[in-house]
Amino acid sequence: MAGGGKGSGRPAKKKSPTKGTGGNVRRGLEGKGATPPAHMRHWHKDKARAERIEREERTGRSSSPRTPVRARRSEDAPEYIGGRNPVLEALRAGVPASAMYIALRIDNDDRVSEAVRIAADRGIALLEVGREKLDRLTEGTIHQGVALQIPAYDYAHPEDLVGIAQDAAEVPLIVALDGVTDPRNLGAIARSATAFGAHGLIIPSRRSAGVTGGAWKTSAGTLATLPVARAANLTAALREYREAGLFVIGLDGEGTVDIGDANLLDSPLVIVVGSEGKGLSRLVRESCDLVVRIPMNAAAESLNAGVAAGVALYEVARHRR
């Protein structure tokens, strides 16, 4: 039999030691730890679905803080008021709310305690959430760990505002907004309108601020009692008000009459407030019976729409006393 080994009568040849890795493999495995869970492995089949759900929960906001993308809000989507004082004022004013969100481990104070008590008495749901969710709900505004969810606003019809004045046996006073696109201005005007006895606001359906969370917050709850009507065509709505016996006064820096000298302030009235930049639009200006201005020093070119409306409404209230 050729070769050595068993049955050859000669001792088997010893194998020489094989060359090892020198510990390289062992060292390469050090620190790897256990296999990561499925959701952390890029090849896991559910990762794409999880990422899609996360994007949807972010409501269209970009994952990059430098390029946020705001999702288009549906008209029937709820709004959110953030901040301890605004939430408490809204609850005190009876703003219709469906839920109150409170941050986990919130630093409690008297405002939070009172807000929770009012919400509980009114049967409003109380939900504890993380601050990241509050950031998303309030779209990055300051919320101080508290947010109030309010349902989509139920707008009135322009004719309803005249009916409210008639039911109260009062001389109608309506405020129309032409080109006011900042919800905070709408809220400030609502606050002034409530303070000086207006019966409602009217806004265009397009290219205008609506009753959003920002408007609720600035109005300090007055939007809970002051109706807001929305018109498909503001010019047509003003024409119908004139046919119903109301006078239309436009408020514009280029007006030729000081508001204090206007002789229509005791009459059934619609005051139209234009935007800060462009003032009244051409068609709306042509629909006015009178265009008035607020006299001021030359150093101030114009007033904020909310401030201008407040001054005008004060003048009307002063003439009607």
Side-chain angles (χ1 to χ4, degrees), residues 105-124:
R105 297 180 294 278
I106 188 174
D107 182 16
N108 205 349
D109 63 11
D110 292 340
R111 295 169 297 176
V112 175
S113 299
E114 183 178 353
V116 170
R117 184 170 64 253
I118 296 174
D121 291 342
R122 289 177 51 188
I124 298 171

Side-chain angles (χ1 to χ4, degrees), residues 43-61:
W43 57 86
H44 191 262
K45 63 181 180 180
D46 286 338
K47 188 182 182 203
R49 177 176 176 272
E51 290 178 346
R52 177 178 59 79
I53 293 174
E54 184 179 356
R55 285 195 302 270
E56 291 175 354
E57 289 179 348
R58 288 199 300 265
T59 62
R61 296 176 72 91

Side-chain angles (χ1 to χ4, degrees), residues 8 24 33 39 41 54 63 67 83 98 116 122 128 138 150 158 182 190 199 222 250 265 269 273 291 300-301:
S8 64
N24 290 331
H39 69 273
R41 302 200 300 269
E54 184 179 356
S63 58
T67 56
S98 52
V116 170
R122 289 177 51 188
E128 280 192 311
T138 58
I150 55 179
D182 190 339
H199 298 99
T222 55
L265 303 186
L269 200 62
V273 181
V291 178
E301 294 183 0

Side-chain angles (χ1 to χ4, degrees), residues 15-315:
K15 294 182 179 180
S16 60
T18 58
K19 185 177 180 180
T21 62
N24 290 331
V25 174
R26 184 176 66 253
R27 286 195 297 271
L29 293 173
E30 289 179 358
K32 294 292 185 178
T35 302
H39 69 273
M40 295 178 62
R41 302 200 300 269
H42 66 83
W43 57 86
H44 191 262
K45 63 181 180 180
D46 286 338
K47 188 182 182 203
R49 177 176 176 272
E51 290 178 346
R52 177 178 59 79
I53 293 174
E54 184 179 356
R55 285 195 302 270
E56 291 175 354
E57 289 179 348
R58 288 199 300 265
T59 62
R61 296 176 72 91
S62 171
S63 58
S64 171
R66 297 182 181 179
T67 56
V69 178
R70 181 173 177 176
R72 183 181 296 273
R73 183 184 294 276
S74 171
E75 289 188 357
D76 57 356
E79 293 285 344
Y80 296 90
I81 302 174
R84 301 188 182 194
N85 283 333
V87 166
L88 180 56
E89 289 175 355
L91 289 170
R92 285 173 175 171
V95 171
S98 52
M100 179 176 169
Y101 292 84
I102 304 174
L104 296 168
R105 297 180 294 278
I106 188 174
D107 182 16
N108 205 349
D109 63 11
D110 292 340
R111 295 169 297 176
V112 175
S113 299
E114 183 178 353
V116 170
R117 184 170 64 253
I118 296 174
D121 291 342
R122 289 177 51 188
I124 298 171
L126 296 171
L127 305 172
E128 280 192 311
V129 297
R131 289 186 176 270
E132 291 184 357
K133 178 159 183 145
L134 280 172
D135 291 340
R136 291 198 303 270
L137 294 178
T138 58
E139 298 182 344
T141 59
I142 298 174
H143 53 71
Q144 299 174 301
V146 181
L148 193 67
Q149 183 189 70
I150 55 179
Y153 188 78
D154 185 15
Y155 291 95
H157 190 277
E159 294 179 359
D160 297 339
L161 304 185
V162 178
I164 291 171
Q166 292 174 344
D167 292 343
E170 297 174 350
V171 180
L173 176 58
I174 298 169
V175 181
L177 308 186
D178 176 29
V180 176
T181 57
D182 190 339
R184 293 170 296 182
N185 278 336
L186 189 153
I189 293 171
R191 196 168 185 172
S192 296
T194 302
F196 296 116
H199 298 99
L201 305 182
I202 177 171
I203 61 175
S205 299
R206 299 172 58 192
R207 293 186 289 274
S208 173
V211 182
T212 64
W216 277 107
K217 184 173 180 178
T218 312
S219 76
T222 55
L223 282 168
T225 57
L226 182 74
V228 178
R230 196 159 56 176
N233 187 313
L234 182 60
T235 304
L238 295 177
R239 183 171 60 250
E240 291 174 0
Y241 280 140
R242 294 179 67 185
E243 292 173 355
L246 280 72
F247 292 96
V248 179
I249 291 183
L251 190 62
D252 193 279
E254 297 180 359
T256 56
V257 179
D258 290 350
I259 187 168
D261 298 332
N263 58 3
L264 298 175
L265 303 186
D266 294 331
S267 307
L269 200 62
V270 179
I271 295 181
V272 188
V273 181
S275 65
E276 298 93 330
K278 298 181 180 179
L280 299 175
S281 63
R282 180 182 61 83
L283 291 177
V284 168
R285 179 186 290 271
E286 293 173 355
S287 301
C288 294
D289 296 292
L290 183 66
V291 178
V292 301
R293 65 171 182 265
I294 297 175
M296 65 183 74
N297 291 333
E301 294 183 0
S302 64
L303 292 175
N304 173 278
V307 175
V311 173
L313 287 166
Y314 168 76
E315 281 293 333

